Amino acid sequence: MRTEYDYRRISRGLPLLMDKGHLSIRKKISTNDDELETPTQVWTTRCNAGAVRRAGRRLLHMYDTIIAPTGLKQCQYGILSALNSRGAALPSVQELAEELVLDRSTLGQNLRPLERDNFVTLLTDPRDRRVRLIALTKLGIAKFNEAKPYWQTAQERFEEVFGAEDAAKLRSVLLSIAYNPELGKTANEGK
């Protein structure tokens, strides 16, 4: 018996994923329901992290390719977007790292080219000289505005392929994973 989800996969020409093995059989969309297509190789995994990483790499490649004319990577666009959405409220490096679910060193690596190109600037917090604040420059705002239509194209393309409703559900699930404090604990802390 097909589920609604299976039907949506078939209607988009995607294979039905089988529980075991690496081959998938999908029915041809035709008047003859008994006709089967040639088996298609589908890589499956029981590892949640592996599946998310594979999907993430595919999606990032698509976004990076579409955003490429601006000279930015998706991660850099995400940083500019996060800073832009804050307005005048400047985040510290630690605050932005937590918001983007990055460690500080990874954020630092992604900030360097943005700082080099004068899209962001790092300031010393006047209340605590040990804290660095990140400010979006006028050039950074212009770069964000230049890249936004490309990002929008990538968004629309994903939703066209995956479905707007499914994309919204996926975002909700992924964000609930990203910000779940229980998943950030080590095995010893969780007990």
Side-chain angles (χ1 to χ4, degrees):
M1 182 169 138
R2 277 189 233 159
T3 65
E4 185 176 305
Y5 177 75
D6 292 337
Y7 177 76
R8 285 195 307 258
R9 289 186 62 79
I10 290 171
S11 68
R12 284 192 229 121
L14 299 172
L16 287 173
L17 300 179
M18 307 306 280
D19 289 334
K20 297 190 186 243
H22 296 288
L23 291 180
S24 168
I25 305 291
R26 60 183 179 182
K27 288 192 175 195
K28 279 189 177 179
I29 300 174
S30 70
T31 55
N32 183 354
D33 286 344
D34 296 331
E35 197 174 341
L36 296 177
E37 285 186 1
T38 307
T40 310
Q41 183 120 20
V42 175
W43 297 103
T44 60
T45 181
R46 288 189 36 84
C47 178
N48 299 315
V52 168
R53 286 196 121 180
R54 291 173 192 178
R57 284 191 293 266
R58 171 73 65 193
L59 203 52
L60 282 173
H61 176 72
M62 183 194 76
Y63 275 76
D64 281 345
T65 301
I66 292 172
I67 292 174
T70 68
L72 294 175
K73 297 271 191 196
Q74 170 59 29
C75 187
Q76 294 168 327
Y77 175 81
I79 291 169
L80 295 180
S81 179
L83 291 171
N84 186 66
S85 70
R86 288 174 160 265
L90 304 182
S92 69
V93 171
Q94 182 63 40
E95 288 169 341
L96 189 60
E98 288 173 5
E99 179 181 334
L100 297 175
V101 192
L102 292 171
D103 59 68
R104 285 176 55 119
S105 64
T106 302
L107 177 59
Q109 290 170 0
N110 285 289
L111 283 173
R112 276 187 213 103
L114 295 173
E115 187 177 21
R116 178 198 66 218
D117 295 338
N118 199 29
F119 299 144
V120 300
T121 187
L122 296 176
L123 308 167
T124 302
D125 186 340
R127 295 169 294 174
D128 185 346
R129 299 196 52 77
R130 298 170 295 176
V131 175
R132 306 279 286 174
L133 301 175
I134 309 167
L136 191 58
T137 65
K138 287 182 182 182
L139 198 55
I141 293 169
K143 182 54 81 170
F144 168 74
N145 288 329
E146 174 194 343
K148 190 172 183 177
Y150 291 93
W151 172 85
Q152 187 64 43
T153 297
Q155 280 289 101
E156 290 167 1
R157 183 160 181 202
F158 178 74
E159 290 183 359
E160 178 184 309
V161 171
F162 198 70
E165 187 178 318
D166 285 344
K169 289 177 188 175
L170 178 64
R171 279 192 306 277
S172 177
V173 168
L174 292 174
L175 288 172
S176 70
I177 292 169
Y179 296 107
N180 186 321
E182 290 298 312
L183 296 174
K185 294 179 179 178
T186 64
N188 293 336
E189 290 175 320
K191 292 180 180 178

